[in-house]
Amino acid sequence: MSISPDIGAVTATLGLGGNVGDPIHAMAAALKMLDERGDCHVIAVSRLYRTPPWGKTDQSFFYNSCAAVKTSLTPDALLEACLDIEREMKRVRVERWGPRTLDIDILTYGEVESDASNLQIPHPRMTERGFVLLPLADVAAYLAVNGRLVSEWLAEVDTSGIEIADESPDWWRRP
Ligand code: GSY
């Protein structure tokens, strides 16, 4: 039996998505990069979903997933790590709610609540979005967010048009 080191006491959840170029590759690479860091361990990944665009609807469908990571990084340092990965994946952020190669959002960070201008936790719009809640329920259905379980928020949002693109929670490990 091997004993893996406990690299951190905090479990954070992340939302990943993209609709430009090869978003599945970008999300898989991002998860691998996070997992390869000494201060972050990916403990669960959702199935992969194909989702209709939210907000600005005249753009391509997205691929979305969520992950739970155990980390010793502070919220700000985790945000920096995610932004570094987005930059490495050459994310194109042309317009608000427009197309993007890769978006990584911190959804929750332990029980932390933050209203800082650069980082709001829990993510302010996560409880309204089917493309977040459906994958998040795969990895954290019983997580409480703003006083309700993820599964309870999910029961109230529109998930029409969302399809499972890959049933396997290991989709991101494929070569
Ligand atoms: O941070 C969210 C980026 N985004 C998405 C997304 O990831 N999925 C879908 N389906 N629509 C979206 N609109 C925006 S903005």
Side-chain angles (χ1 to χ4, degrees), residues 12-95:
T13 60
L14 306 177
L16 297 96
N19 69 344
V20 172
D22 189 346
I24 301 177
H25 167 79
M27 287 193 283
L31 289 166
K32 285 176 192 158
M33 280 185 221
L34 278 172
D35 200 40
E36 279 161 12
R37 294 175 60 108
D39 48 21
C40 245
H41 178 43
V42 174
I43 54 176
V45 177
S46 72
R47 293 174 290 183
L48 178 66
Y49 293 84
R50 183 173 178 271
T51 67
W54 181 95
K56 187 176 179 299
T57 52
D58 60 338
Q59 57 177 320
S60 303
F61 270 51
F62 280 72
Y63 286 92
N64 285 107
S65 67
C66 284
V69 299
K70 194 159 191 191
T71 185
S72 57
L73 294 171
T74 63
D76 279 339
L78 180 60
L79 176 63
E80 265 318 303
C82 293
L83 291 174
D84 280 347
I85 292 171
E86 286 183 359
R87 284 190 280 264
E88 193 148 335
M89 293 286 123
K90 297 193 174 52
R91 169 186 167 170
V92 186
R93 185 205 272 260
V94 183
E95 55 186 322

Side-chain angles (χ1 to χ4, degrees), residues 125-146:
R125 290 170 293 281
M126 64 177 286
T127 55
E128 301 157 16
R129 295 175 166 183
F131 70 80
V132 173
L133 293 167
L134 204 49
L136 186 58
D138 284 349
V139 297
Y142 298 105
L143 179 68
V145 179
N146 298 341

Side-chain angles (χ1 to χ4, degrees), residues 138-161:
D138 284 349
V139 297
Y142 298 105
L143 179 68
V145 179
N146 298 341
R148 303 176 73 185
L149 303 181
V150 166
S151 57
E152 292 172 332
W153 288 115
L154 174 59
E156 297 212 335
V157 298
D158 181 11
T159 56
S160 55

